[in-house]
Amino acid sequence: MTVETIPMNRRGFLGGAMTGGAALGAASALSLVPAAAHAAAPLAGSPMAGALRRKVGDFEVTALLDGYLQLGPELIVGYEEETAAKLREADFIESQALTGPVNAYLVNTGEKLVLSDAGTSVKMGPTL
C-alpha cells in the first residue's frame, strides 16, 4: 500500500489516532511494572567535587551530603569552649551552634553500586 492509496477521512484519522494512543499507553504502562534495578560503574579512582571518595579495600566509597544537624557541645568528645571560641572567631562564625553533616554512602564494588541511606524522613527536622 502506498501513501497515495491510503484514504484520508475522519474515520481513518480517528482510528489511527486511537490505535497510536493505545500503543503509547501500553508502552508507558510497562515502565510502571516493578523490576530490580541493575547498576554498575567502573571505579572512578579520582576525587570528585562536592563529595568525599575513599578506597576501602577493593571498594570505592563516596560520601554524599544528605543534610545537616544542629549539635550541642555536649555531643562533641573533648570539646573545649575556649578553643571553639578561637576557631569560630578565626572563621567569622558568630553563632555558638555547631552544624554537623549527615551523609548517605554510595559503595562501588566494581560490579555493583550500593546506596546506603538510613534516612529519618521528618523525624529529626527539616534539614534531613
Side-chain angles (χ1 to χ4, degrees):
M1 187 178 274
T2 64
V3 174
E4 292 82 23
T5 61
I6 297 175
M8 195 58 153
N9 57 37
R10 190 174 9 163
R11 188 171 300 171
F13 182 76
L14 290 175
M18 289 181 9
T19 303
L24 185 61
S28 66
L30 289 177
S31 67
L32 299 176
V33 175
H38 300 283
L43 299 175
S46 61
M48 176 178 132
L52 296 174
R53 182 175 288 147
R54 297 280 186 260
K55 195 87 159 124
V56 179
D58 291 335
F59 294 170
E60 189 174 72
V61 180
T62 304
L64 305 168
L65 182 62
D66 195 24
Y68 61 90
L69 285 174
Q70 296 296 330
L71 306 170
E74 67 278 0
L75 296 176
I76 310 297
V77 176
Y79 180 85
E80 296 177 5
E81 180 55 43
E82 184 178 313
T83 304
K86 287 179 185 177
L87 291 171
R88 282 194 303 270
E89 183 179 345
D91 287 341
F92 304 103
I93 298 172
E94 296 176 5
S95 171
Q96 299 251 346
L98 304 168
T99 302
V102 176
N103 296 316
Y105 297 93
L106 180 66
V107 180
N108 187 343
T109 68
E111 296 176 6
K112 295 180 180 180
L113 295 175
V114 180
L115 180 63
S116 171
D117 182 7
T120 61
S121 183
V122 296
K123 303 292 184 221
M124 296 185 78
T127 61
L128 287 178

